[in-house]
Amino acid sequence: MNISQDLPADSDLAKRAAPRRAKVVVDFALQGGGSHGAFTWGVLDRLLEEPWLEVEGVSGTSAGAMNAAVMADGWAEGGAQGARRALDTYWQHVSEAARFSPFQRTPLDRMFGRWSLDYSPMFVAMDLMSRLFSPYQLNPAGSNALAPILAKEINFERLRNSPIKVFITATNVRTGRPRIFRNAEITPEVLMASACLPTLFQAIEIDGESYWDGGYSGNPTLAPLVRELVSDDTILVPINPVERPGTPKSAAEILNRLNEVSFNAVLIKELKMMALLRKNTIPGNDEGAEWARMRVHIVRNPIMNTLGYSSKLNAEWEFLSMLREEGRKSAEEFLITHGDDLGKRSTLDIDQLLAEMM
């Protein structure tokens, strides 16, 4: 089933949110987060309905990298509608591949509507084993369920020539630095490297170097959006909550929060640098001016505060569909609240980030 064919692109809300207007050139910054990337799918699906939004580029990490590459490839084939169809198909195939996964919710979880895998015997066993053994011991063949999906769903030659510029971040294991892969360099290995959690997968080797998840060094990376694109409007779609109320007490909660903090750290530093340059840009300093002129917007995702780490491995179609609808709702709210600000002013208060840093 092609979901996008069943969605009206001219709803009353859409008309109110985006009246006929001149095109605004934007770019996307997409965070990673496993199955939670289906939320981003929903956000993109809604935003791509707007003909006045012209997408110049996208930076993505992990699940954000998958969404970025699939969208750009689909756009190259059939414009915005092609991108929406490609995203639909990709996430359907992710769910189909996970149908026989050992990571499944328990009957009680299903009964009470819980999306986590915290009580799944196989997830608990995997979680414990990953702390005692490396993926080189548990998965000596280095298999990855995403490999056949990516090879089938993305035409990498077409992606090379997509009008949307794509920037994928992976972390060099040796140096700890990010490497940014662009359209012509993107392969299934690059995308798998960007999503390579070192406790679950063997490092991905590219050009003689080993790579881990890009979230450790840029989730996502903003620099290429600033330096290589004409667009001055970046729409950030976060997955990992910056703030989470309360203090984690259980081992699972502590690990979950630790991952969220570490996967947000580099992005927050980039935003703080942007705020600092905006405040102190010296005339004639082209580098500073590039960052200072950027307008940053964020699509809020309150649902993520209700989801834990284990649900990132839940790829049931029911869960992915729920996240997609939540993404569409959040994008709708963003358009209604901030659609008129695009091309005019930043709607993320990055100056507040600077104040918190001082």
Side-chain angles (χ1 to χ4, degrees):
M1 179 180 65
N2 191 335
I3 295 176
S4 59
Q5 291 179 343
D6 300 326
L7 296 172
D10 57 348
S11 65
D12 290 340
L13 280 176
K15 289 177 181 177
R16 291 202 300 271
R20 186 178 296 276
R21 55 179 291 183
K23 285 186 179 294
V24 177
V25 181
V26 300
D27 55 69
F28 296 139
L30 311 180
Q31 274 200 333
S35 294
H36 293 183
F39 173 88
T40 302
W41 165 31
V43 171
L44 295 175
D45 187 69
R46 177 63 190 90
L47 295 181
L48 289 171
E49 290 178 351
E50 299 300 321
W52 56 276
L53 287 178
E54 182 176 327
V55 183
E56 183 187 8
V58 54
S59 176
T61 297
S62 193
M66 311 303 170
N67 280 320
V70 170
M71 180 187 71
D73 176 44
W75 189 290
E77 181 182 32
Q81 290 304 312
R84 294 178 67 206
R85 286 192 297 269
L87 286 165
D88 289 351
T89 301
Y90 169 76
W91 284 101
Q92 287 177 39
H93 286 170
V94 167
S95 179
E96 290 169 5
R99 188 176 301 168
F100 302 106
S101 166
F103 304 128
Q104 302 287 340
R105 288 185 295 161
T106 66
L108 279 178
D109 288 328
R110 296 175 190 275
M111 182 183 301
F112 290 105
R114 295 190 294 248
W115 298 113
S116 74
L117 303 176
D118 291 348
Y119 302 104
S120 164
M122 286 304 297
F123 173 79
V124 173
M126 181 277 295
D127 190 44
L128 291 174
M129 293 288 283
S130 68
R131 303 182 194 198
L132 297 174
F133 302 98
S134 83
Y136 293 88
Q137 297 168 299
L138 297 176
N139 181 16
S143 59
N144 189 317
L146 277 176
I149 299 175
L150 295 173
K152 179 180 180 181
E153 295 305 320
I154 300 177
N155 183 325
F156 289 91
E157 186 60 37
R158 186 170 57 210
L159 176 60
R160 177 188 298 268
N161 300 303
S162 175
I164 295 179
K165 296 180 181 178
V166 181
F167 308 98
I168 303 300
T169 302
T171 302
N172 185 303
V173 177
R174 179 177 60 84
T175 66
R177 294 181 176 181
R179 176 174 172 182
I180 312 300
F181 296 87
R182 292 158 178 81
N183 294 57
E185 304 169 295
I186 298 173
T187 63
E189 289 72 27
V190 166
L191 295 177
M192 287 189 292
S194 184
C196 180
L197 289 172
T199 57
L200 298 180
F201 303 105
Q202 295 185 21
I204 304 297
E205 186 170 315
I206 302 171
D207 299 332
E209 294 278 6
S210 295
Y211 291 91
W212 282 340
D213 195 297
Y216 297 111
S217 55
N219 192 21
T221 304
L222 300 182
L225 299 177
V226 176
R227 294 171 177 165
E228 300 182 33
L229 301 183
V230 173
S231 166
D232 289 338
D233 286 82
T234 294
I235 300 177
L236 172 63
V237 186
I239 294 295
N240 301 291
V242 174
E243 296 185 6
R244 186 181 284 273
T247 302
K249 300 294 178 63
S250 71
E253 290 173 342
I254 291 170
L255 183 60
N256 179 53
R257 188 58 186 150
L258 180 63
N259 285 332
E260 289 174 346
V261 171
S262 62
F263 279 176
N264 280 326
V266 179
L267 173 64
I268 291 175
K269 285 182 179 179
E270 282 194 291
L271 291 172
K272 286 180 176 178
M273 180 183 71
M274 190 180 297
L276 188 63
L277 288 171
R278 176 178 295 177
K279 187 179 181 65
N280 299 294
T281 296
I282 300 173
N285 182 347
D286 293 338
E287 175 74 11
E290 285 181 341
W291 287 87
R293 73 168 187 263
M294 292 301 296
R295 295 182 288 266
V296 184
H297 316 272
I298 186 170
V299 178
R300 302 292 177 180
N301 58 351
I303 190 175
M304 293 304 164
N305 269 321
T306 69
L307 301 174
Y309 166 75
S310 66
S311 63
K312 292 181 179 181
L313 297 179
N314 180 355
E316 297 174 32
W317 181 246
E318 184 182 3
F319 181 50
L320 300 183
S321 297
M322 182 277 292
L323 288 173
R324 173 183 176 277
E325 290 310 308
E326 290 296 325
R328 282 187 57 86
K329 290 177 186 176
S330 293
E332 186 76 69
E333 181 63 29
F334 169 79
L335 288 169
I336 293 171
T337 306
H338 298 302
D340 289 339
D341 296 314
L342 290 169
K344 300 175 183 176
R345 63 186 66 86
S346 180
T347 58
L348 175 63
D349 189 2
I350 58 177
D351 292 326
Q352 180 62 33
L353 290 174
L354 179 61
E356 293 172 358
M357 179 179 66
M358 304 292 283

